């Protein structure tokens, strides 16, 4: 058969299939092409020569196809089936790429991150290899979806056909589970996170959970928190207090010079004699989790996402106490922490030498900050939310003068660089982030009308290829230390330490004790002498070292 004849037959090839058969074909196709990460995890330690392994594979495959078939048929009709399947295919292909490339688990927390990602972040993740991978999986499926003709049936026959298809799907699920039950139940019991590798079920589940939670949250106001808060009486001659909280982004404790890292990535902070807390755990492995959690009173120890997102934050408690707050952002927002409170977005600013190509270096957060400080006469808390070490383009997070460690990874594809180059770029970003913190402290040292202090803590860490993992967002239960151990430092001006009665030597002695994001809420309240029923003195890092 010559090419012309084949091309002609292809153009006229328009087979008729039912909605149910087309959906089943796509489910089988995606199970085969977009679940490498799942099969790799599920078959780890199993012998491919063992009969039990193949019973597990066949049973799991059948159950997977049956489950996806039922879910997709719930939204399938003659008018929706083609666009529905086309979208499912491309989303599944994209999910498979990031799972395979970065070992990402698409649970609801990670999906929330994805849905709230802005264009500037998203464009770094769309590379040539991503496009090629997505198209290589999507195009064959798209050709099938758009070339076939859907069989038209009357309402009665269509209903009976759908019921029969659901029955077949249930049979696949039941038979598959019976065949693979022993190994599958053990896998899900001991490695629950593996379920977030099953495509496209993981995406469908996560999207449903996130949209449902967001819809419920949008329908109700935040529950008031700490409305009884007030600042303890201080001497009339006492200066107002200015506390700056720097919420670092994606900096891990392992690469923090003050924690004993081989490279001195914190030379300026070392010279400033800050108090470094060397054993700090984050509340989550992604900003969407950690940020609301660290500004909540319950934290990771009693983690309740709905409660955390449904109530006011530390900043609202401070506002109730009469402490002015301001959130300055070079990121994707405060994730609800500063809802209804003063907020400034700086990532789209146009400041010479600090902004280029639609993005700004973190020092932009200090631009005209003095004006905001001067505008407030009383106690004030300013939160700075930098871009920090947000991956994968670590090389874009610092000015050229901070390119100390070379060679660098100047790509948005960490897997394309050597481990040395990737770590070099990451460490350069840490070095610049540390400079930004030092500049913030320098600004505080110049204040005459306020007693000043600064707290820096990262929201979560980052994987740089260890255990085959990149970036962050691994479910907390199995997350490695690289994603959950974070740096934290405290700088207290002499006036602040004196009036607050804090013994810096005592604080330094206690800085090696375990700490966590759970301590931030209560430590800030204690540092500002805010009295409220939601304050827990046992979680105040400063209280054991206070003499007043």
């Amino acid at each position: 058969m010559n090419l012309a004849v084949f091309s002609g037959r292809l153009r006229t090839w328009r087979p008729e299939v039912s909605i149910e058969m087309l959906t089943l074909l796509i489910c089988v196709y995606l199970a085969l092409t977009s679940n490498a990460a799942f099969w790799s995890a599920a078959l780890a330690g199993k012998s491919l020569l063992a009969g039990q392994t193949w019973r597990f594979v066949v049973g799991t495959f059948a159950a997977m196809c049956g489950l996806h078939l039922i879910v997709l048929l719930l939204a399938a009709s003659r008018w929706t089936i083609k666009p529905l399947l086309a979208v499912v295919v491309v989303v599944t292909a994209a999910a498979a790429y990031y799972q395979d490339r970065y070992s990402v688990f698409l649970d609801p927390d990670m999906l929330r991150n994805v849905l709230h990602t802005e264009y500037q972040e998203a464009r770094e993740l769309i590379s040539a290899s991503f496009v090629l991978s997505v198209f290589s999986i999507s195009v064959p499926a798209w050709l099938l979806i758009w070339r076939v003709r859907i069989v038209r049936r009357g309402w009665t026959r269509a209903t009976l056909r759908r019921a029969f298809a659901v029955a077949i799907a249930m049979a696949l699920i039941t038979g598959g589970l019976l065949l693979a039950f022993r190994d599958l139940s053990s896998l899900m019991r001991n490695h629950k996170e593996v379920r977030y590798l099953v495509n496209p079920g993981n995406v469908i589940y996560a999207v449903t959970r996130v949209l449902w939670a967001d819809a419920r949250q949008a329908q109700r106001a935040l529950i008031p928190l700490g409305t009884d808060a007030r600042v303890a009486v201080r001497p009339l001659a006492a200066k107002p207090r200015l506390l700056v909280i720097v919420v670092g982004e994606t900096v891990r404790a392992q690469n923090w010079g003050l924690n004993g890292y081989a490279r001195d990535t914190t030379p300026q902070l070392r010279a400033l004699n800050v108090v470094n807390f060397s054993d700090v755990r984050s509340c989550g492995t992604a900003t969407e989790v950690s940020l609301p959690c660290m500004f909540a009173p319950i934290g990771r120890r009693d983690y309740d996402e709905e409660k955390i997102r449904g109530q006011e934050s530390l900043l609202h408690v401070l506002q109730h106490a009469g402490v002015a707050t301001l959130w300055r952002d070079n990121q994707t927002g405060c994730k609800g922490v500063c809802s209804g409170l003063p907020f400034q977005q700086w990532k789209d600013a146009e400041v010479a030498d600090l902004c280029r190509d639609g993005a700004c270096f973190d020092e932009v957060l200090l631009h005209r900050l003095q004006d905001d400080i001067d505008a407030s006469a009383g106690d004030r808390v300013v939160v700075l939310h930098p871009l920090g070490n947000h991956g994968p383009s670590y090389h874009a997070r610092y000015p050229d003068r901070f390119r100390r460690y070379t060679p660098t990874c100047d790509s948005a594809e960490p897997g394309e660089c050597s481990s040395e180059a990737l770590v070099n770029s990451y460490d350069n970003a840490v070095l610049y982030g540390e400079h930004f913190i030092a500049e913030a402290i320098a600004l505080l040292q110049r204040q005459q009308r306020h007693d000043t202090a600064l707290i820096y803590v990262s929201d979560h860490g980052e994987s740089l290829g260890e255990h085959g993992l990149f970036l962050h967002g691994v479910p907390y239960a199995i997350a490695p230390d690289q994603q959950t151990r974070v740096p934290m430092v405290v700088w207290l001006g002499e006036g602040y330490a004196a009036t607050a009665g804090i013994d810096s030597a005592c604080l330094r002695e206690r800085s090696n004790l375990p700490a966590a994001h759970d301590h931030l809420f209560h430590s800030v309240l204690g540092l500002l002498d805010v009295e409220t029923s939601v304050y827990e003195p046992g979680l105040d890092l400063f209280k054991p070292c206070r003499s007043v």
Side-chain angles (χ1 to χ4, degrees):
M1 182 185 301
N2 61 43
L3 184 60
V5 173
F6 176 78
S7 177
R9 290 187 176 180
L10 182 63
R11 285 194 299 270
T12 59
W13 180 73
R14 297 294 306 275
E16 281 193 334
V17 297
S18 66
I19 291 174
E20 295 76 18
M21 178 56 69
L22 178 58
T23 305
L24 177 60
L25 290 173
I26 294 300
C27 289
V28 171
Y29 177 77
L30 293 179
L32 291 171
T33 62
S34 303
N35 282 278
F38 168 75
W39 291 116
S40 176
L43 296 176
K46 296 183 182 294
S47 171
L48 294 180
L49 300 178
Q52 181 61 33
T53 298
W54 284 103
R55 285 193 293 273
F56 169 74
V57 170
V58 172
T60 302
F61 184 85
M64 184 188 302
C65 291
L67 181 61
H68 288 150
L69 178 60
I70 288 178
V71 170
L72 292 177
L73 286 180
L74 291 176
S77 70
R78 182 155 52 89
W79 298 276
T80 64
I81 185 62
K82 289 191 174 184
L84 171 66
L85 293 180
V87 170
V88 167
V89 165
V90 71
V91 170
T92 302
Y97 173 83
Y98 289 114
Q99 287 175 339
D100 296 341
R101 182 62 63 97
Y102 302 118
S103 299
V104 167
F105 290 79
L106 281 171
D107 61 354
D109 291 334
M110 177 57 72
L111 212 290
R112 189 184 298 276
N113 271 335
V114 173
L115 293 177
H116 293 177
T117 296
E118 297 184 351
Y119 169 72
Q120 291 177 347
E121 289 185 44
R123 68 180 181 180
E124 295 179 358
L125 296 170
I126 301 176
S127 61
S129 61
F130 167 80
V131 174
L132 180 62
S133 176
V134 170
F135 268 75
S136 66
I137 292 176
S138 300
V139 169
W142 285 344
L143 288 175
L144 172 65
I145 291 169
W146 295 113
R147 292 301 294 170
V148 301
R149 290 178 293 176
I150 301 300
V151 176
R152 295 190 176 190
R153 291 188 173 92
W155 175 256
T156 302
R157 290 188 62 192
T159 302
L160 292 174
R161 182 89 178 192
R162 185 63 53 87
F164 180 72
V166 171
I168 293 296
M170 292 296 296
L172 284 173
I173 295 172
T174 303
L177 290 178
L178 289 174
L179 197 61
F181 181 77
R182 189 181 72 179
D183 288 346
L184 191 58
S185 62
S186 176
L187 176 68
M188 292 303 161
R189 183 172 59 253
N190 298 319
H191 302 282
K192 295 180 180 179
E193 70 281 354
V194 172
R195 68 185 185 272
Y196 295 122
L197 296 176
V198 179
N199 280 315
N202 54 356
V203 179
I204 295 172
Y205 169 74
V207 168
T208 303
R209 277 280 306 272
V210 170
L211 294 181
W212 172 253
D214 286 355
R216 290 184 61 190
Q217 183 62 43
Q219 294 174 358
R220 57 188 181 186
L222 291 176
I223 298 173
L225 180 70
T227 55
D228 60 341
R230 66 181 184 87
V231 177
V233 177
R234 296 201 295 267
L236 292 176
K239 294 181 179 180
R241 291 172 175 171
L242 170 61
L243 171 64
V244 170
I245 302 174
V246 181
V247 181
E249 171 66 38
T250 322
V251 181
R252 64 187 198 176
Q254 180 176 322
N255 292 56
W256 191 245
L258 290 172
N259 285 341
Y261 185 44
R263 289 173 169 170
D264 190 6
T265 53
T266 54
Q268 295 184 67
L269 291 181
R270 192 182 304 279
L272 288 167
N273 202 32
V274 299
V275 177
N276 178 67
F277 290 80
S278 58
D279 187 10
V280 181
R281 294 284 172 175
S282 67
C283 185
T285 61
T287 305
E288 286 287 342
V289 175
S290 283
L291 211 56
C293 183
M294 70 170 71
F295 283 87
I298 56 177
R300 170 55 62 176
R301 68 195 189 284
D302 296 316
Y303 186 72
D304 184 332
E305 179 185 354
E306 184 174 355
K307 185 174 182 179
I308 288 173
R309 294 184 182 278
Q311 68 181 4
E312 293 181 332
S313 73
L314 168 64
L315 299 188
H316 295 93
V317 177
L318 296 175
Q319 198 82 358
H320 294 321
V323 179
T325 66
L326 171 63
W327 187 289
R328 285 184 148 226
D329 203 273
N330 191 32
Q331 256 271 20
T332 55
C334 67
K335 313 304 181 186
V337 171
C338 63
S339 178
L341 301 176
F343 172 87
Q344 296 177 3
Q345 180 57 264
W346 287 87
K347 68 183 181 65
D348 299 318
E350 297 180 1
V351 180
D353 301 325
L354 292 178
C355 303
R356 67 186 186 193
D357 301 327
C360 295
F361 295 119
D362 287 330
E363 285 175 278
V364 74
L365 292 174
L366 304 178
H367 184 66
R368 300 184 64 179
L369 176 56
Q370 187 63 57
D371 294 344
D372 292 318
I373 294 172
D374 293 339
S376 176
D379 291 348
R380 190 174 187 87
V381 171
V382 177
V383 181
L384 306 179
H385 188 204
L387 186 55
N389 279 52
H390 197 289
S393 298
Y394 309 116
H395 65 284
R397 305 295 176 244
Y398 52 88
D400 293 339
R401 70 182 187 278
F402 284 88
R403 191 174 180 268
R404 175 179 298 181
Y405 306 112
T406 58
T408 55
C409 177
D410 299 332
S411 167
E413 288 278 359
E416 294 179 356
C417 299
S418 68
S419 177
E420 177 192 11
L422 185 64
V423 172
N424 285 343
S425 291
Y426 185 86
D427 284 349
N428 288 336
V430 174
L431 194 66
Y432 174 64
E434 187 258 2
H435 167 75
F436 161 67
I437 300 168
E439 288 295 299
I441 293 175
L443 183 147
L444 294 179
Q445 289 175 323
R446 295 193 294 268
Q447 303 307 308
Q448 299 297 320
R449 295 191 303 111
H450 294 84
D451 286 331
T452 57
L454 178 143
I455 297 175
Y456 164 80
V457 62
S458 182
D459 60 350
H460 55 79
E462 187 87 329
S463 288
L464 300 177
E466 300 88 0
H467 314 295
L469 298 174
F470 292 92
L471 303 178
H472 52 267
V474 171
Y476 198 88
I478 62 166
D481 283 352
Q482 288 83 6
Q483 295 191 27
T484 59
R485 285 195 65 230
V486 295
M488 176 177 173
V489 297
V490 170
W491 174 86
L492 298 174
E494 291 183 4
Y496 203 117
T499 59
I502 298 176
D503 184 344
S504 295
C506 166
L507 197 61
R508 189 165 283 104
E509 287 178 4
R510 298 179 58 85
S511 64
N512 292 325
L513 297 177
H517 278 168
D518 292 30
H519 291 89
L520 182 67
F521 181 97
H522 307 281
S523 298
V524 169
L525 292 179
L527 192 61
L528 291 164
D529 289 325
V530 174
E531 299 174 345
T532 171
S533 58
V534 296
Y535 167 69
E536 296 181 44
L539 292 173
D540 181 352
L541 294 172
F542 301 100
K543 185 172 178 57
C545 297
R546 297 190 68 166
S547 59
V548 295

